Amino acid sequence: MLQLQEAFSRPGGPAQASARSGPLPPVTVHVFNDIACPWCHIGSQRLQRAVRQYKRRYGQAAPVKVQWNPLLVDNDVSATGEDVNGYAQRRWGFTSTDPFRTRLVRAGLPEGATFKKWAFMPNSLLALELLALAADLGLADRASDLLFSRTYELGGNVSLLDELLEIGESLGISSREELSRELVRTDGGSLRVRVLEQDAAAKRRLRIQAVPHFIITAGPKCRTKYSLNGAHQTSDLVGAMERVAMEEARAAAAARKAAAAQSRVPPPYGAPAGALAGGAAAAPGPGPIIVSV
């Protein structure tokens, strides 16, 4: 997997992508984040702006989708959440969150993330379950916006089931009773088990230890991919989407060229006709005719 710096240093980078004509391969942005991470709020806003810019630049010729993935940054937060000041003192030893909050505001203001009413550090397990359910219904982008906004802009506590049920109503997800049952289930097919399994897989198999984290892919089985860690600027995200699309377009063209060349190679002496071209083999004949010279 190429890191962003390596991707941009290779020939044919993002600047050349805008000059390319014709459709680009579909791009998928796999986002690993946590509602309890304030930098993920900023990263989410930058990603959505990047997707809008990419779509404006290439239109329907370059489809892009976002896939949200859970990654719990702290499993030890109280089940009902914690006051953000008390949490910062307990976790990091901060006597005041003002310097941290000032840094967040400075980075977030251009993206519309003000952190004006951030009051709670949530236990985000239930919120990530709601986000997973919303993703199943094609509502993940909107659900992410509502969860981040409730936490950092409206002073809410998305640890609490009642707050999540309100967000679920805003999304039009079933009834409060049905949604409540889904969010508190713990059996094998529950949202909770799915979120915890995805969290574990991201940490152990992909070795992602910090959020937000982006893996931008294109092509069959994610053949071409770049990884970005942290709340990267919008321009970085757009450039990585362009780069991965261009790399995949070149890989696909090379694969088609190789397949076409292979189909023109004559079969070896005595080989069944059509075998190398992928067609059905001809019925066996009497065998090759040997000519003495």
Side-chain angles (χ1 to χ4, degrees):
M1 183 184 299
L2 296 176
Q3 300 297 320
L4 182 64
Q5 292 81 357
E6 181 183 355
F8 280 17
S9 67
R10 298 177 66 181
Q16 295 183 17
S18 60
R20 186 185 187 277
S21 59
L24 289 173
V27 168
T28 301
V29 182
H30 303 265
V31 188
F32 297 82
N33 71 357
D34 190 355
I35 304 302
C37 167
W39 286 105
C40 290
H41 180 30
I42 296 172
S44 173
Q45 296 298 317
R46 289 176 175 170
L47 172 61
Q48 291 183 50
R49 179 182 290 183
V51 169
R52 291 194 297 270
Q53 289 184 11
Y54 186 81
K55 288 181 175 179
R56 281 199 302 269
R57 187 171 300 176
Y58 300 105
Q60 296 302 314
V64 57
K65 72 174 183 177
V66 176
Q67 180 174 314
W68 300 89
N69 302 274
L71 196 146
L72 291 154
V73 297
D74 188 353
N75 295 327
D76 296 327
V77 181
S78 168
T80 56
E82 300 180 34
D83 171 79
V84 68
N85 294 310
Y87 175 86
Q89 185 174 21
R90 177 179 69 79
R91 178 90 188 270
W92 299 303
F94 291 174
T95 57
S96 170
T97 60
D98 289 345
F100 180 50
R101 196 182 292 260
T102 298
R103 184 182 172 204
L104 286 168
V105 170
R106 187 182 300 117
L109 272 178
E111 319 301 335
T114 68
F115 297 92
K116 280 186 177 179
K117 296 184 179 180
W118 182 26
F120 296 97
M121 177 62 71
N123 182 311
S124 56
L125 181 57
L126 288 176
L128 292 174
E129 290 180 31
L130 177 59
L131 186 56
L133 179 59
D136 292 343
L137 301 173
L139 300 169
D141 290 354
R142 189 175 169 214
S144 175
D145 277 346
L146 290 172
L147 289 164
F148 280 125
S149 178
R150 179 70 67 106
T151 302
Y152 299 107
E153 310 299 336
L154 301 175
N157 182 0
V158 296
S159 314
L160 305 178
L161 183 60
D162 283 345
E163 295 217 18
L164 295 173
L165 295 179
E166 289 180 13
I167 293 173
E169 282 186 325
S170 299
L171 293 169
I173 299 178
S174 64
S175 67
R176 290 176 68 97
E177 292 76 15
E178 290 173 331
L179 179 56
S180 178
R181 283 196 298 270
E182 286 299 314
L183 294 180
V184 300
R185 280 176 55 199
T186 58
D187 58 88
S190 65
L191 291 166
R192 181 161 307 177
V193 168
R194 191 207 308 182
V195 165
L196 292 175
E197 287 178 347
Q198 290 175 338
D199 171 67
K203 292 172 179 174
R204 294 173 188 168
R205 192 168 70 239
L206 299 178
R207 298 183 180 180
I208 299 172
Q209 301 298 328
V211 289
H213 188 92
F214 306 92
I215 299 177
I216 302 176
T217 69
K221 298 183 179 179
C222 303
R223 173 170 56 188
T224 309
K225 63 184 72 174
Y226 295 144
S227 175
L228 298 86
N229 193 60
H232 275 263
Q233 295 292 335
T234 296
S235 58
D236 292 342
L237 294 164
V238 173
M241 286 188 279
E242 289 178 333
R243 182 72 212 201
V244 78
M246 291 297 294
E247 289 279 343
E248 176 55 30
R250 282 194 289 269
R256 289 194 298 270
K257 185 176 180 180
Q262 181 71 12
S263 69
R264 292 193 295 270
V265 174
Y269 187 61
L276 290 184
I289 300 174
I290 307 299
V291 180
S292 298
V293 293

